Amino acid sequence: RNALEPFRRVRKELIRDYVGSYYAEGGAENKTLVNLINQTARIYTISLAANNPQVLVSTPRAESIAFARRFEVNLNKLISDMNLEQTMRSIVLDAFFCIGCGVVQMRDTDTRFHGLLESEEDVWLDPGEPWFNRVSLDDLILDMPAKELSKMRYCGHRYRADYEKVMDEPGYSKKAKEKLRPSTRSHHDTTGAARDIASEHGSAEDDDLKDMVWLMDVYIAENNSIVTMACDQEDIDPLIEREWTGSQAGPYKFLSLGDTPDNIIPTSPAVNLKGMHDLQNRLHCRMEDDSDAHRVVNVFPPGMEDDANRLRTAERNGWYRAKSPEQIKQFESGGVDQRDMALATFLQTEFDRMAGNLQAMGGLGAQASTVGQEELIHGQLSKNVADMRVAVVNFAATCILDLGRLMWE
């Protein structure tokens, strides 16, 4: 986990930008007037994960058509029951900031509490039902020396579990449970987790309500097994080791929106756009200060007090006597620098281009004066976004294939 700390810090900073400067006290450090990161993330999420995936099961064997149809109906029902659409949106949002990850799990009778994430509300799942959960980068464990995700020797994640339920779990090692002790939430968050942004200045921990313990699941590729153990509690044997019966790729599925050669952590869209987001907000803050400093005052020479007072109290379209009204002038100071306005407009155009024609993707307005030109722009847009959409579709397909495989078994 320590090798991932730099990526976690960057991701947390990006999420601070995403929530803006008015999100409790844990939001962006600098004032956010134009939240381009938030707008881009929302458009990407809607464009790439709009609906629940649907499965079509077919077979070349006529005698199996009826079964294929029933299997298709049940698999689509499972997708609907687990609200896979929302999970996919969350993982796409994770991939926008760094890397998206989910884990396919089987709730077997001996480990009904296995893999229980604190944020989940599915404690009472059917013990024999497959399920799919999002894994946050804050909890992810990766084999960082690997050059490809498919070549990792191990991967896993940690999670908070109810200490009492873990101790009552009959499938876990009695010897290991004798040494297991509760642990606090903050024990393993050395740099702070992104989930603590809203409460990092003080709040009640779950440990104040009941005893909790940090556990972790680690998939060992060589053994094709999943090991459940305590986090950083020395001299404790694994609680349980179970064989993985899904695909050879393992239970952990990863989504990348920008692969990096010879590295398993991708270059995310948010990382590439942060610089222009920051510069645009600095410009807007400066223009805000200049606008507040803008002054328009009326000046008059000595001896013109009467004329000045008549003009000050004059009504619109009124007629008034004045000796020398031309000597009363209006003086303007401060105001927004036109060069800053031009640069802000240029940056907005460049940000839109770097984000993949964001206005067209999000339907924020017409991009051309004619229908033909508009269709050409959207045609180019589909080429720019196609790679990301293919990545999301392939990710969903691999997840659903494993869910189907576990349903079959």
Side-chain angles (χ1 to χ4, degrees):
R1 290 192 72 256
N2 292 336
L4 282 169
E5 285 299 333
F7 297 100
R8 292 192 182 97
R9 286 195 294 267
V10 172
R11 174 177 175 267
K12 185 175 182 179
E13 186 64 29
L14 290 171
I15 294 177
R16 287 180 185 273
D17 290 335
Y18 172 77
V19 300
S21 55
Y22 298 101
Y23 187 81
E25 295 183 5
E29 182 178 354
N30 299 316
K31 189 173 184 179
T32 306
L33 293 177
V34 184
N35 201 329
L36 300 177
I37 292 291
N38 183 286
Q39 182 186 53
T40 307
R42 289 171 62 85
I43 290 175
Y44 272 47
T45 303
I46 294 171
S47 299
L48 300 177
N51 301 302
N52 253 336
Q54 292 294 300
V55 176
L56 176 63
V57 179
S58 61
T59 175
R61 302 175 59 180
E63 63 272 20
S64 301
I65 292 178
F67 173 79
R69 176 57 182 164
R70 290 196 302 272
F71 193 76
E72 173 186 323
V73 170
N74 282 277
L75 188 52
N76 282 322
K77 183 178 184 303
L78 175 66
I79 290 172
S80 177
D81 289 345
M82 71 172 62
N83 195 15
L84 187 58
E85 173 188 351
Q86 184 56 49
T87 305
M88 289 293 297
R89 282 174 176 254
S90 298
I91 292 175
V92 168
L93 189 59
D94 284 339
F96 176 79
F97 292 114
C98 187
I99 186 173
C101 178
V103 57
V104 179
Q105 298 170 320
M106 189 68 182
R107 307 285 182 166
D108 52 83
T109 54
D110 289 334
T111 56
R112 69 185 65 186
F113 303 117
H114 165 71
L116 175 62
L117 301 177
E118 180 190 8
S119 61
E120 299 291 332
E121 298 179 356
D122 48 18
V123 180
W124 304 112
L125 281 177
D126 182 346
E129 189 174 28
W131 210 252
F132 182 70
N133 281 323
R134 165 186 173 265
V135 177
S136 170
L137 183 68
D138 288 337
D139 301 318
L140 198 56
I141 301 168
L142 297 178
D143 181 14
M144 291 300 289
K147 294 184 178 181
E148 297 178 21
L149 289 168
S150 60
K151 302 296 178 59
M152 289 191 297
R153 296 163 295 178
Y154 62 86
C155 59
H157 76 290
R158 61 175 195 160
Y159 51 90
R160 298 285 284 161
D162 188 320
Y163 178 74
E164 183 180 350
K165 290 180 179 178
V166 172
M167 298 302 290
D168 292 340
E169 172 53 50
Y172 288 160
S173 166
K174 293 182 179 179
K175 182 179 178 181
K177 288 192 292 185
E178 288 175 357
K179 298 181 180 180
L180 189 65
R181 296 292 180 266
S183 54
T184 62
R185 172 191 285 278
S186 58
H187 181 67
H188 297 285
D189 285 335
T190 55
T191 60
R195 59 174 163 263
D196 296 330
I197 285 177
S199 58
E200 62 182 8
H201 291 278
S203 65
E205 293 193 352
D206 53 6
D207 309 273
D208 297 331
L209 305 175
K210 56 184 177 180
D211 288 335
M212 303 290 289
V213 62
W214 279 109
L215 299 181
M216 61 181 175
D217 290 349
V218 180
Y219 169 70
I220 310 297
E222 184 178 2
N223 300 336
N224 196 36
S225 64
I226 302 172
V227 180
T228 300
M229 64 187 79
C231 289
D232 295 343
Q233 296 194 34
E234 298 179 357
D235 301 325
I236 298 182
D237 294 334
L239 291 166
I240 192 172
E241 181 174 0
R242 297 166 298 112
E243 181 184 3
W244 165 247
T245 57
S247 66
Q248 293 183 351
Y252 292 91
K253 313 300 178 184
F254 300 96
L255 175 61
S256 164
L257 296 182
D259 294 335
T260 304
D262 294 333
N263 288 272
I264 60 176
I265 301 297
T267 302
S268 68
V271 168
N272 295 323
L273 297 172
K274 176 173 170 56
M276 287 203 290
H277 167 86
D278 290 344
L279 178 55
Q280 185 71 293
N281 277 281
R282 289 199 303 271
L283 273 174
H284 276 76
C285 287
R286 188 162 69 193
M287 289 192 291
E288 180 188 36
D289 293 338
D290 290 344
S291 178
D292 291 340
H294 183 219
R295 296 291 182 271
V296 177
V297 296
N298 298 301
V299 296
F300 57 91
M304 301 295 297
E305 290 81 359
D306 291 341
D307 284 356
N309 188 57
R310 292 190 191 97
L311 293 177
R312 182 180 64 83
T313 59
E315 296 181 358
R316 185 177 181 184
N317 295 325
W319 292 84
Y320 299 92
R321 178 173 57 83
K323 295 180 179 179
S324 301
E326 70 279 357
Q327 295 189 35
I328 300 176
K329 299 184 182 297
Q330 201 171 64
F331 178 75
E332 184 175 359
S333 66
V336 177
D337 193 319
Q338 296 300 312
R339 291 169 295 185
D340 286 347
M341 292 184 64
L343 179 56
T345 302
F346 169 76
L347 281 176
Q348 185 62 50
T349 303
E350 286 299 295
F351 186 95
D352 177 79
R353 185 176 67 86
M354 293 297 294
N357 204 345
L358 198 63
Q359 289 194 10
M361 192 190 308
L364 301 180
Q367 305 296 300
S369 56
T370 66
V371 175
Q373 290 174 331
E374 194 72 20
E375 290 177 350
L376 181 62
I377 289 174
H378 283 276
Q380 292 300 115
L381 170 66
S382 64
K383 294 180 182 178
N384 293 332
V385 184
D387 185 56
M388 291 188 290
R389 286 181 176 167
V390 167
V392 173
V393 169
N394 289 341
F395 172 78
T398 57
C399 297
I400 293 172
L401 281 173
D402 263 349
L403 288 172
R405 184 178 284 107
L406 293 180
M407 272 188 65
W408 173 269
E409 295 179 355

